[in-house]
Amino acid sequence: LNRDEFLKLAPANSDQGGNSDWQKAITQTGYTQSHSLGLSGGTGGFTYNGSVYYQDQKGIVINTGRKQLGVRLSLDQKAFNDKLDVQVNVLNTQTIHDNVDANIFYWAYNILPVTPEKVDGKDNPIYNYNYLNPIWVQNNEYKKATDNLNQQSITVNYELLKGLKIGAFGNVSKFNTQYDYYLPTIPGAGTAINNNAFRATSNNNSQKGDLHINYSGSFGKSNVTATGVYEYNYYEDDNYSASGAGVLV
């Protein structure tokens, strides 16, 4: 309901002076911009390919978005008449998320259209059992996550005989996420919401590798393909978190 529709149904003393469209107030026009720079080349048996990219996404909810910066590098070296092939790949990315508080959609649906969005030019810090001001919360709440990904791999293959290759592969991956949350005291809320803060971090790391041998050949009208692999995998995960209230900032 808009203001006029609500006042037709509500008691005479229900008018708080506002004319608010809460669902519209918490949304905005989203956009995405992307930029990348690539470089490639080589000489003899050596080739390289690298790129740097940046992406900035503005969310459709106020004060939300996603930013990512990444670097990729690939190297390839061939030697001994192309019998030896060494490939190296490196990837580094950082992604920053400005997240939405999912509760604001419920509050925007329940809060009255006659409740003013702002008081004295500032977001109205409403504290009600059924809702808070979704605009105030989304603008004052700090809800950010930062992802850092680092991956490095190397592959080495050597052709011992025609059709017979031996090789090795190794990969190291490190993925870290840090989540930070802070909600300042809402005027009128007393100790119910009193500078609440939370921080969590997680690490997901892995090491992978293998030794392999491959054969591909033909005998008359028959084709023969064989592969043997010894594989190693190691995974490590750890998580930490801490929270508090009444935090001084």
Side-chain angles (χ1 to χ4, degrees):
L1 299 178
N2 59 32
R3 169 187 166 83
D4 294 336
E5 293 169 336
F6 174 79
L7 290 176
K8 287 179 181 179
L9 302 173
N13 61 350
S14 299
D15 191 359
Q16 301 176 35
N19 184 17
S20 304
D21 184 341
W22 292 101
Q23 296 183 41
K24 182 178 180 180
I26 62 173
T27 57
Q28 62 187 6
T29 301
Y31 69 82
T32 300
Q33 57 173 320
S34 301
H35 309 275
S36 62
L37 176 65
L39 183 66
S40 62
T43 178
F46 175 72
T47 59
Y48 61 88
N49 189 312
S51 64
V52 178
Y53 62 92
Y54 174 76
Q55 186 178 77
D56 184 2
Q57 293 179 313
K58 184 179 181 180
I60 62 172
V61 175
I62 58 174
N63 203 25
T64 63
R66 175 181 179 273
K67 296 180 180 180
Q68 184 176 69
L69 176 65
V71 178
R72 298 175 185 268
L73 178 64
S74 297
L75 307 174
D76 191 339
Q77 176 68 62
K78 298 182 183 297
F80 304 116
N81 295 321
D82 293 340
K83 289 185 176 182
L84 176 66
D85 185 13
V86 180
Q87 299 176 359
V88 176
N89 293 284
V90 178
L91 169 67
N92 279 283
T93 64
Q94 183 181 76
T95 308
I96 300 175
H97 309 265
D98 290 312
N99 295 319
V100 63
D101 188 324
N103 292 309
I104 68 172
F105 302 108
Y106 173 80
W107 297 331
Y109 178 78
N110 283 277
I111 196 168
L112 302 179
V114 293
T115 303
E117 298 176 17
K118 296 182 180 295
V119 174
D120 297 328
K122 298 180 180 180
D123 292 338
N124 185 8
I126 305 163
Y127 180 75
N128 184 283
Y129 178 81
N130 293 311
Y131 52 77
L132 305 177
N133 182 340
I135 305 173
W136 189 97
V137 171
Q138 193 59 29
N139 283 332
N140 288 274
E141 186 178 60
Y142 186 88
K143 198 172 186 181
K144 188 185 294 287
T146 303
D147 300 330
N148 290 287
L149 173 64
N150 175 264
Q151 291 184 330
Q152 303 171 35
S153 67
I154 182 171
T155 304
V156 180
N157 287 302
Y158 184 77
E159 186 176 28
L160 286 174
L161 302 170
K162 183 178 180 181
L164 179 63
K165 293 183 179 181
I166 61 172
F169 166 79
N171 174 275
V172 175
S173 178
K174 296 181 179 180
F175 181 70
N176 169 267
T177 296
Q178 180 168 306
Y179 176 79
D180 295 293
Y181 173 84
Y182 173 71
L183 180 62
T185 298
I186 298 177
T191 59
I193 300 178
N194 184 20
N195 288 341
N196 296 338
F198 176 80
R199 168 168 284 187
T201 183
S202 65
N203 296 291
N204 307 105
N205 303 325
S206 67
Q207 299 174 11
K208 304 176 183 179
D210 70 49
L211 299 174
H212 53 265
I213 181 170
N214 300 291
Y215 177 76
S216 179
S218 61
F219 299 92
K221 296 182 179 181
S222 301
N223 294 320
V224 177
T225 301
T227 299
V229 180
Y230 171 79
E231 190 173 282
Y232 169 82
N233 292 283
Y234 174 78
Y235 300 92
E236 181 182 51
D237 301 306
D238 58 68
N239 300 274
Y240 305 94
S241 64
S243 60
V247 181
L248 297 177
V249 294

